[in-house]
Amino acid sequence: MATLPYWRLSGFYLFYFALLGATAPFLALYFNHLGFSSARIGELVAIPMLMRCVAPNLWGWLGDYSGQRLLIVRLGALCTLCSFALIFVSQSYAWLALVMALHAFFWHAVLPQFEVITFAHLREQPERYSQIRLWGSIGFILTVVILGRLLEWLSLDIYPVALLVIMAGIVLCSLWVPNAQPSSLGRKQVEGGFLKQLFSPGVLAFYACVALMQMSHGPYYTFLTLHLEHLGYSRGVIGLLWALGVVAEVLMFLAMRRILLKFSVRRVLMFSFILAALRWLLLGSFAEHLWVLLLAQLLHAATFGSFHASAMTFVQRSFGPGQQGQGQALYATLAGIGGAVGALYSGYSWNTLGPAFTFSMASVAALAAAVIIATRLQEDRP
């Protein structure tokens, strides 16, 4: 493992998830600043997630077929930057919808292929993935704190410029990363093509739960900032609260190697879904109490940290070297479908049914995923 390009891989994750740190808490706030209603905001936020239903599978198939995963990552990062720059042309609803769709088509080409490259570098130590991925969480934290303060001091009109700076960082880091191809050496050989592997016991159930988990995050990623602003929290404090959640995620990533060596993926996933259900109830009904809000944000360690690390391990184990790209792409696709549904239903229900009911629907989705995992996923040996 001495040849592992740890800092090159980590640097890419830092900038990639810095972009998520700039969009998840503040994109809806920016659209609100432009004067759009909650329904239109939900639709605009849902568009990039809907693109995850199409783009990752196309790029995943191309990556497995051509083997040129790193080239796809680099071109995807560059095209993301160029297409998002079109936001300065117009800020009408139709034009913004086009920009959201176009840049997301390329942005979602990047991460699934990069995940394959990362696991190819890790080879027989996939449990070390979380030690690299935690730098993405650090990028998220730095962005929400710094950008939260900037948007408190300056106008929201600077927001698109900040996104372009981060996108440029993704492009530069993609040029720094060395290539690697998945290897079957030392791994249990997974027989059959992609579809045969997909229909292996428990795999489809796992992907259904991925969609449910991201659906449950819909109100969180779309309206949490507006929800907290309405409750009287400042933008700077809101940025710190987002950062707190990701600090908990980082600590979980640091512990995930030991956790996955001790506990099965199935148990970790069940634990993540149950705590997600609790988290959404707390955010929807008790967020005016700071101590409850702090607890809910600490639960991000489970709703993203332990969930994502164990999910990546499940995908890596379930598909052979020639199907890793498609397996990662399908993960991104199902996450996109769930996230889009979550953003849409929360956009339509937020003003009519209220935050408490909207977050309760998210809690039900997470509980349904816990039941599916408990009944359909086979117990694996850690």
Side-chain angles (χ1 to χ4, degrees), residues 68-88:
Q68 298 296 317
R69 304 183 201 278
L70 187 56
L71 178 60
I72 291 172
V73 168
R74 290 169 175 170
L75 289 177
L78 180 61
C79 291
T80 300
L81 172 66
C82 295
S83 56
F84 187 81
L86 297 173
I87 198 171
F88 295 106

Side-chain angles (χ1 to χ4, degrees), residues 203-282:
V203 176
L204 285 176
F206 162 78
Y207 278 113
C209 291
V210 169
L212 286 170
M213 183 60 126
Q214 294 307 312
M215 176 182 167
S216 79
H217 278 73
Y220 177 74
Y221 284 127
T222 309
F223 288 110
L224 179 66
T225 298
L226 293 174
H227 180 44
L228 297 182
E229 270 203 333
H230 180 73
L231 293 175
Y233 296 95
S234 69
R235 290 175 186 171
V237 170
I238 292 170
L240 291 173
L241 288 167
W242 278 90
L244 174 63
V246 187
V247 168
E249 170 190 314
V250 170
L251 295 177
M252 179 59 74
F253 277 138
L254 288 172
M256 278 307 297
R257 182 175 184 272
R258 293 189 296 274
I259 290 173
L260 288 174
L261 289 173
K262 186 175 182 180
F263 298 100
S264 68
V265 169
R266 176 177 175 269
R267 292 190 179 187
V268 176
L269 287 172
M270 285 180 57
F271 171 82
S272 303
F273 288 127
I274 291 169
L275 289 183
L278 172 63
R279 186 188 187 198
W280 307 142
L281 289 177
L282 294 177

Side-chain angles (χ1 to χ4, degrees), residues 30-44:
Y30 178 67
F31 290 145
N32 183 69
H33 170 72
L34 296 180
F36 293 110
S37 68
S38 60
R40 300 290 85 78
I41 291 171
E43 291 164 1
L44 288 170

Side-chain angles (χ1 to χ4, degrees), residues 364-376:
V364 170
L367 277 178
V371 171
I372 293 172
I373 289 295
T375 57
R376 302 299 299 172

Side-chain angles (χ1 to χ4, degrees), residues 20-333:
L20 183 61
T23 53
F26 303 118
L27 187 60
L29 192 65
Y30 178 67
F31 290 145
N32 183 69
H33 170 72
L34 296 180
F36 293 110
S37 68
S38 60
R40 300 290 85 78
I41 291 171
E43 291 164 1
L44 288 170
V45 172
I47 288 172
M49 299 178 184
L50 285 170
M51 292 309 296
R52 293 179 74 178
C53 307
V54 179
N57 285 313
L58 171 63
W59 297 111
W61 172 84
L62 185 61
D64 284 339
Y65 179 79
S66 67
Q68 298 296 317
R69 304 183 201 278
L70 187 56
L71 178 60
I72 291 172
V73 168
R74 290 169 175 170
L75 289 177
L78 180 61
C79 291
T80 300
L81 172 66
C82 295
S83 56
F84 187 81
L86 297 173
I87 198 171
F88 295 106
V89 174
S90 172
Q91 291 174 339
S92 68
Y93 174 79
W95 186 259
L96 287 173
L98 176 63
V99 171
M100 290 297 103
L102 190 60
H103 96 275
F105 179 77
F106 296 108
W107 189 31
H108 294 315
V110 170
L111 186 60
Q113 300 308 307
F114 196 81
E115 299 277 34
V116 177
I117 293 170
T118 298
F119 277 107
H121 280 294
L122 290 171
R123 297 192 181 277
E124 301 312 310
Q125 297 191 52
E127 66 276 2
R128 290 194 63 190
Y129 166 81
S130 58
Q131 297 174 353
I132 295 174
R133 172 59 182 80
L134 68 86
W135 285 96
S137 303
I138 292 172
F140 189 105
I141 293 168
L142 292 174
T143 304
V144 295
V145 172
I146 295 171
L147 194 54
R149 289 297 184 185
L150 285 177
L151 295 180
E152 200 171 64
W153 298 332
L154 305 173
S155 168
L156 273 160
D157 293 330
I158 70 161
Y159 179 69
V161 177
L163 295 188
L164 285 175
V165 170
I166 298 170
M167 290 175 183
I170 298 174
V171 174
L172 292 175
C173 284
S174 71
L175 299 176
W176 192 35
V177 173
N179 200 8
Q181 296 293 342
S183 171
S184 60
L185 292 175
R187 286 184 56 189
K188 180 181 72 174
Q189 187 63 36
V190 183
E191 297 180 354
F194 175 72
L195 288 179
K196 185 175 181 180
Q197 295 168 32
L198 180 62
F199 284 96
S200 299
V203 176
L204 285 176
F206 162 78
Y207 278 113
C209 291
V210 169
L212 286 170
M213 183 60 126
Q214 294 307 312
M215 176 182 167
S216 79
H217 278 73
Y220 177 74
Y221 284 127
T222 309
F223 288 110
L224 179 66
T225 298
L226 293 174
H227 180 44
L228 297 182
E229 270 203 333
H230 180 73
L231 293 175
Y233 296 95
S234 69
R235 290 175 186 171
V237 170
I238 292 170
L240 291 173
L241 288 167
W242 278 90
L244 174 63
V246 187
V247 168
E249 170 190 314
V250 170
L251 295 177
M252 179 59 74
F253 277 138
L254 288 172
M256 278 307 297
R257 182 175 184 272
R258 293 189 296 274
I259 290 173
L260 288 174
L261 289 173
K262 186 175 182 180
F263 298 100
S264 68
V265 169
R266 176 177 175 269
R267 292 190 179 187
V268 176
L269 287 172
M270 285 180 57
F271 171 82
S272 303
F273 288 127
I274 291 169
L275 289 183
L278 172 63
R279 186 188 187 198
W280 307 142
L281 289 177
L282 294 177
L283 286 176
S285 300
F286 305 104
E288 66 272 17
H289 305 291
L290 181 60
W291 73 270
V292 175
L293 184 55
L294 293 173
L295 174 61
Q297 287 304 89
L298 289 174
L299 289 177
H300 196 71
T303 62
F304 185 83
S306 61
F307 166 75
H308 182 71
S310 56
M312 289 294 97
T313 301
F314 183 90
V315 172
Q316 194 266 344
R317 291 177 181 175
S318 299
F319 296 95
Q323 289 78 37
Q324 284 288 309
Q326 294 171 81
Q328 292 287 354
L330 186 60
Y331 177 89
T333 296

